[in-house]
Amino acid sequence: MTLNVIPKPNKVSYYGGTLNSDEVGIAYLTDEKLSDEGYVISIQQSGITITSKSEKGKFYADKTLSQILRQGSVPLCRIEDEPAFPYRGFMIDSVRHMQSVEEIKKYISAAAELKFNTFHWHLSDDQGWRIEVECFPELMEKGAWRDCHGFGSKDGRAYGGYYTKDEIRDVIAFCKERYIDVIPEIDMPGHTTAIVSTFPELSCRGEHVAVKTEGGIFRDILCAGNEAVYDFCYRLLDEIAELFPYEYFHIGGDEAPKSRWVNCPKCQTKIKAEGLSDVEQLQGYFTNKIAEFLESKGKKIIAWNETLNSGIAKNSITICDWMDRDGKCVDYANNGGKVIAEDFYHYYLDYVYGVTPLKKTYCYKPVYDKLTEENKKNVIGVEAPVWTEYIEDFDRMCYMCFPRLLAVGEAGWTREENKDYESFKKRLVAYEKPLSDIGIKMAAAQEWDPGFKTRSKDVFKRIKDSLTPEAIRVTLFPNKE
């Protein structure tokens, strides 16, 4: 008999025989020698014993045991378990399309069953501002709203809103009960149309731009040569950081085209005054200033991998590797920097199954081959983002994320040598009802790994949709008009 548990425990020793789950007594013990998230479960005819060092380890043991007990007939065994990575994250984009607090809680509940311990909440972007702040109420009045609901639909229905501080505190409290830290992301200096649409004076040109109604990369970003921008960011981040009681804060840093900076007198003056070589180093300077401010508030900083392009980013910044084509993240980790693996072509959950089949997600190895043995520990974890440009409702979001979120959950907890895709698929069958009980409907099994014809069609469509003239221009020539 096997254990229908996800993520798969790292060490299981079977005694032989079974125990009827209707006749189970459970005893809890403490062992200081265990890791903070580790636990031991002993299932014998005399009963079940759970041993842990902390309440967190006990919580994870209970999650494992609850899955085992659902089997009815429980194998007599000993489980010795702890996670492969300390950081096990999931990200929800609540900007492009929002989720209700209750929907977010359902997603969190499912993630907690999978032993995720970090919720990365994407709360600002070009298409809206999603968090209440008292220091700049104009962001909720203007930046939180765009002219249409669906991307590119021009449907004439204004779309927007934001989460109040009380709603955010409610989500944080819900996560705390499940040992999940909540990390806010306020993206900067790029993906800031919601900010510069509200405060045009914070951009290089000072011209009005509308909150975006489509996805993409946009040239009007925060002016890194304007001291008023730094003052604005410090006030904004100070208030937001106080709301989130955890160590990490995500400051974005991705997809920041710099053509406006190239032609901006203030940015060029800043480059010369600080002895910087170019606009890439200006972003490094900007990022370091923001990081230093947040670090003075007791926060550790996370940013996307483009942050490394300047060559001067603070080594204390943890890097989210979503698309590193030049090996900068490998070099960063080999020099002691911390990295979180969330490769877009394997762990982005909003790609259709023809582009990213379940097997592709499951079989991805998050630790780089070119790392030295000593520096493999600098890949501190995995994260699975879901971006919602084309996901307008929660049911669609669940269809896209489940079961692939389970695959990333297993990657975060189960050591690579213990993983097996065929075993994982069999265990998934037992997980459908518990997800349904939470309010989440998983994609049907026949859709997880499409055949060659479907995959070819979906990959071609994905490439075609992404190759808009503006996207090509900004991607190939980010520093030119």
Side-chain angles (χ1 to χ4, degrees):
M1 177 178 287
T2 59
L3 300 177
N4 288 327
V5 176
I6 299 176
K8 182 181 179 182
N10 279 299
K11 183 178 180 182
V12 182
S13 303
Y14 292 97
Y15 299 136
T18 60
L19 181 69
N20 191 318
S21 62
D22 294 331
E23 303 171 359
V24 175
I26 304 174
Y28 291 93
L29 304 175
T30 301
D31 185 346
E32 292 295 327
K33 295 191 295 293
L34 295 174
S35 65
D36 191 49
E37 294 186 307
Y39 63 87
V40 175
I41 301 175
S42 177
I43 303 175
Q44 302 189 60
Q45 289 292 355
S46 57
I48 297 175
T49 302
I50 288 178
T51 306
S52 63
K53 175 183 178 180
S54 68
E55 286 297 312
K56 185 185 294 186
K58 176 177 176 290
F59 177 82
Y60 293 140
D62 283 338
K63 291 300 179 187
T64 296
L65 183 60
S66 67
Q67 292 188 51
I68 296 172
L69 294 179
R70 285 199 295 262
Q71 296 181 201
S73 183
V74 178
L76 303 181
C77 62
R78 177 181 173 87
I79 300 169
E80 300 172 59
D81 206 12
E82 64 180 357
F85 294 100
Y87 183 107
R88 303 179 302 281
F90 60 98
M91 190 216 81
I92 298 177
D93 168 17
S94 292
V95 176
R96 281 52 178 265
H97 289 97
M98 294 182 70
Q99 306 79 33
S100 71
V101 168
E102 290 309 309
E103 288 169 341
I104 289 172
K105 286 181 177 180
K106 289 178 182 180
Y107 199 97
I108 291 166
S109 294
E113 294 292 324
L114 300 166
K115 303 184 178 71
F116 281 93
N117 64 359
T118 306
F119 171 25
H120 167 188
W121 203 353
H122 189 75
L123 292 166
S124 73
D125 215 299
D126 296 303
Q127 297 82 14
W129 178 265
R130 298 288 176 252
I131 177 171
E132 178 186 8
V133 286
E134 295 168 22
C135 57
F136 298 110
E138 300 94 330
L139 285 170
M140 290 90 74
E141 297 164 6
K142 298 178 181 179
W145 298 90
R146 62 175 184 257
D147 288 340
C148 70
H149 182 282
F151 272 30
S153 65
K154 297 181 180 179
D155 51 24
R157 295 182 294 145
Y159 181 86
Y162 58 90
Y163 299 99
T164 67
K165 287 187 175 182
D166 283 344
E167 288 175 322
I168 288 170
R169 291 188 187 101
D170 184 26
V171 170
I172 290 171
F174 189 81
C175 285
K176 185 177 181 180
E177 293 173 353
R178 291 155 180 79
Y179 298 93
I180 294 174
D181 292 358
V182 186
I183 299 173
E185 182 187 351
I186 305 300
D187 211 339
M188 55 179 65
H191 286 297
T192 48
T193 306
I195 293 175
V196 299
S197 69
T198 307
F199 301 105
E201 65 274 16
L202 299 181
S203 66
C204 292
R205 292 185 170 187
E207 299 174 352
H208 173 71
V209 293
V211 177
K212 298 301 181 183
T213 58
E214 67 280 332
I217 306 172
F218 304 100
R219 298 183 186 276
D220 288 296
I221 66 177
L222 293 175
C223 175
N226 185 349
E227 285 302 314
V229 167
Y230 296 88
D231 293 338
F232 170 87
C233 291
Y234 297 158
R235 287 183 61 192
L236 183 71
L237 297 176
D238 189 28
E239 182 175 337
I240 295 172
E242 187 177 349
L243 186 59
F244 291 85
Y246 299 105
E247 60 178 352
Y248 284 115
F249 197 110
H250 202 304
I251 59 172
D254 63 317
E255 298 179 327
K258 300 170 182 67
S259 59
R260 302 291 194 246
W261 290 5
V262 169
N263 297 292
C264 173
K266 289 182 179 178
C267 288
Q268 293 303 310
T269 298
K270 177 68 76 174
I271 289 172
K272 292 176 183 177
E274 298 297 334
L276 306 173
S277 61
D278 54 22
V279 289
E280 284 297 340
Q281 285 207 344
L282 181 57
Q283 180 171 348
Y285 170 86
F286 173 90
T287 300
N288 287 344
K289 294 289 285 185
I290 298 300
E292 288 165 6
F293 172 78
L294 284 168
E295 285 172 350
S296 74
K297 302 292 179 181
K299 299 295 183 182
K300 294 180 180 179
I301 310 309
I302 299 181
W304 298 109
N305 59 258
E306 288 95 326
T307 300
L308 299 178
N309 292 344
S310 70
I312 63 170
K314 287 167 63 68
N315 192 253
S316 59
I317 297 172
T318 297
I319 297 298
C320 285
D321 177 11
W322 76 280
M323 187 168 57
D324 176 23
R325 299 197 183 283
D326 302 320
K328 290 185 176 70
C329 289
V330 175
D331 294 340
Y332 191 68
N334 270 330
N335 284 293
K338 306 302 182 186
V339 177
I340 298 166
E342 47 192 292
D343 181 79
F344 79 108
Y345 205 32
H346 294 87
Y347 282 179
Y348 274 26
L349 304 182
D350 48 290
Y351 284 17
V352 296
Y353 288 92
V355 174
T356 308
L358 176 62
K359 184 175 183 179
K360 183 178 179 181
T361 298
Y362 187 86
C363 293
Y364 179 66
K365 296 180 180 180
V367 177
Y368 313 115
D369 291 335
K370 294 182 179 180
L371 285 179
T372 65
E373 196 63 34
E374 170 65 18
N375 287 314
K376 286 181 179 180
K377 68 179 184 301
N378 290 328
V379 177
I380 64 170
V382 299
E383 185 168 278
V386 56
W387 301 97
T388 60
E389 288 95 332
Y390 303 104
I391 299 178
E392 297 190 13
D393 61 70
F394 187 67
D395 285 344
R396 177 65 179 176
M397 185 168 129
C398 292
Y399 166 83
M400 298 301 288
C401 295
F402 296 91
R404 288 182 293 192
L405 185 69
L406 284 79
V408 181
E410 183 139 307
W413 187 274
T414 306
R415 291 193 296 272
E416 187 64 40
E417 64 268 23
N418 294 328
K419 292 174 59 185
D420 178 79
Y421 183 58
E422 292 305 317
S423 162
F424 175 72
K425 284 197 299 182
K426 292 175 182 176
R427 286 177 280 127
L428 273 177
V429 175
Y431 219 90
E432 186 172 0
K433 185 179 186 306
L435 283 175
S436 179
D437 290 343
I438 292 171
I440 290 175
K441 185 176 181 180
M442 189 161 59
Q446 63 267 26
E447 300 182 67
W448 299 346
D449 292 303
F452 176 78
K453 184 176 180 180
T454 298
R455 290 204 62 192
S456 300
K457 180 187 70 173
D458 287 348
V459 169
F460 177 77
K461 184 177 187 304
R462 180 76 191 191
I463 295 172
K464 179 175 177 291
D465 290 346
S466 66
L467 294 180
T468 64
E470 179 63 13
I472 294 172
R473 282 196 298 272
V474 173
T475 302
L476 294 180
F477 309 106
N479 299 338
K480 293 183 180 180
E481 295 290 356

